[in-house]
Amino acid sequence: MLKLKFLPVCYSLLLCSVLTATWTQPTEACTRILWNNNDLAVVVSRTMDWPESTEPVLTVFPRGMERDGGRTGDTITVKDNPARWTSKYASLVTTMYGIGTADGLNEKGLSGHLLYLNDTDFGLRDTKRPGVQAGLWLQYLLDNAANVKEALALMKQIQIVMTEAHGHKATVHLAIEDASGDSAVLEYIDGKPVVHHGKQYRVMTNDPTYDEQLALLKKQDYSNPSSDTPLPGNVNPVDRFQRASYFSAILPKPNTEREAIAAILAIARNVSVPFGAPYKGFGIYNTEYRTAINLTDRRYFFELTTSPNVIWADLDSFQLAAGSPVMRLEPDSISLSGDVSEKFRPASKPPF
């Protein structure tokens, strides 16, 4: 059963980075920013930091997609009792390596983000429960849940199974949020699911586990930030976390969507790892891309770090009925700018 934890109010960001400067294991510095109390729109942002390209492709899936949760590309990951389902909801996502979904939202305003967690342990395979390979964990929820509450209920019906791509194991945890501002962080520790559910859960890093992250953050106080508040400026996870928490605490109320997206992307850029920086041996990887989502209006923003432009697409502008084509757009082009909804093209074959 899911272990639900309701802990004290914490932060306003989700960072996938280590919270202790002495942590010696390899880390990734991904960042997710949730802003669910601005009275305008629920908006969220994340950075993807990785040692190589994850081959991101913006993809629109209509309703009625037939899924096999036991496959990782052409490889059968779950041999016994793989989960199979038909998607109830359409979604706009960023895929990774063509075998899973790293980030995205669905037509009901549920969104989510896979982030690295070194301590992830999905446990021994229980063949009595349908298995979903970890790369499709988020897609399963986007396909079938309208909000965070429904997503958590669905998690009781399946088992997430470890997979691998490009030599990297999918040791991940998941952050989800919906258009109401509800939020949850899902982890598997020592083979057991741990869920932190509540609107107050706006910040997360990958290692250590979320329980420990919450305890560590209590030592940092940005509840009364000022222009004299000292901020660290290094690239280590603790310094980035403190900067992100500080800037999140001083965000002004936005008057328009443009202001809200600008605000969370500004923080995401502030805590990003510069592209091409010489961090060999640091266990810290370059930021590959950043996304932002307006859950209220179902608009998806994407910024590749090697491109000077932010692009976006409106999920509602696509044909989403069952039988409509899967649409895709490769974002690695400096010619792309602004609203790219009309630049998506039908996929010759769905990625999964």
Side-chain angles (χ1 to χ4, degrees):
M1 295 180 64
L2 292 175
K3 180 182 177 184
L4 297 176
K5 294 195 173 186
F6 299 89
L7 300 177
V9 173
C10 50
Y11 348 107
S12 50
L13 292 189
L14 229 315
L15 292 108
C16 83
S17 59
V18 181
L19 282 181
T20 56
T22 57
W23 192 261
T24 58
Q25 298 190 42
T27 68
E28 289 73 42
C30 301
T31 307
R32 173 258 210 173
I33 307 157
L34 174 61
W35 197 9
N36 57 5
N37 59 353
N38 61 48
D39 300 325
L40 176 74
V42 176
V43 293
V44 63
S45 181
R46 68 87 53 81
T47 69
M48 169 63 82
D49 295 9
W50 202 241
E52 62 187 18
S53 172
T54 60
E55 303 171 10
V57 177
L58 303 186
T59 306
V60 176
F61 292 114
R63 306 175 202 111
M65 296 295 300
E66 300 291 336
R67 307 279 192 210
D68 184 341
R71 288 186 173 273
T72 303
D74 295 328
T75 302
I76 298 177
T77 301
V78 184
K79 297 181 180 180
D80 298 315
N81 194 18
R84 294 187 174 92
W85 67 93
T86 301
S87 62
K88 293 173 57 179
Y89 304 115
S91 58
L92 169 54
V93 306
T94 299
T95 62
M96 53 183 177
Y97 297 128
I99 58 92
T101 294
D103 191 83
L105 81 157
N106 71 13
E107 61 181 302
K108 293 297 184 179
L110 175 71
S111 66
H113 326 271
L114 283 180
L115 288 77
Y116 184 85
L117 177 65
N118 187 70
D119 286 338
T120 293
D121 176 7
F122 294 122
L124 297 176
R125 179 74 179 104
D126 178 5
T127 57
K128 295 180 181 179
R129 302 174 67 192
V132 176
Q133 61 98 341
L136 291 178
W137 183 3
L138 172 56
Q139 191 63 55
Y140 172 80
L141 297 180
L142 295 179
D143 283 349
N144 296 295
N147 51 48
V148 169
K149 185 177 179 180
E150 288 186 11
L152 295 179
L154 285 171
M155 287 303 303
K156 299 176 182 180
Q157 302 176 16
I158 62 168
Q159 181 181 30
I160 305 303
V161 180
M162 182 61 69
T163 190
E164 184 175 319
H166 286 222
H168 304 286
K169 287 189 174 182
T171 52
V172 292
H173 58 173
L174 179 66
I176 56 176
E177 58 280 324
D178 63 34
S180 75
D182 199 6
S183 175
V185 174
L186 293 73
E187 297 180 335
Y188 282 82
I189 308 300
D190 296 326
K192 299 179 180 179
V194 180
V195 176
H196 304 266
H197 180 199
K199 290 185 176 182
Q200 69 271 34
Y201 297 116
R202 307 179 184 115
V203 175
M204 178 185 72
T205 63
N206 56 346
D207 292 296
T209 61
Y210 203 57
D211 279 338
E212 294 179 63
Q213 291 176 6
L214 294 176
L216 286 168
L217 193 68
K218 289 180 179 179
K219 299 178 181 179
Q220 309 295 337
D221 183 12
Y222 292 103
S223 58
N224 295 295
S226 72
S227 60
D228 296 322
T229 302
L231 291 177
N234 212 312
V235 297
N236 69 68
V238 171
D239 284 11
R240 291 194 309 271
F241 180 79
Q242 292 181 25
R243 291 200 307 276
S245 298
Y246 169 82
F247 285 112
S248 177
I250 64 172
L251 284 179
K253 298 295 184 182
N255 295 311
T256 64
E257 177 199 52
R258 185 174 178 179
E259 292 181 359
I261 296 299
I264 57 170
L265 279 178
I267 298 177
R269 292 168 184 145
N270 187 282
V271 296
S272 294
V273 180
F275 182 82
Y279 295 133
K280 184 177 180 180
F282 281 42
I284 297 172
Y285 301 137
N286 298 327
T287 298
E288 179 188 10
Y289 64 77
R290 289 171 284 266
T291 70
I293 306 173
N294 178 340
L295 281 73
T296 303
D297 299 310
R298 296 168 297 282
R299 188 169 295 116
Y300 191 77
F301 298 78
F302 186 95
E303 181 181 56
L304 196 67
T305 54
T306 54
S307 173
N309 304 321
V310 176
I311 60 177
W312 61 86
D314 289 292
L315 178 56
D316 294 346
S317 69
F318 293 90
Q319 297 179 13
L320 305 179
S324 299
V326 173
M327 304 295 285
R328 69 190 302 273
L329 176 69
E330 294 194 18
D332 189 7
S333 172
I334 60 173
S335 66
L336 295 174
S337 180
D339 187 349
V340 295
S341 301
E342 295 184 357
K343 294 185 179 298
F344 281 68
R345 294 294 179 264
S348 59
K349 179 183 178 182
F352 41 80

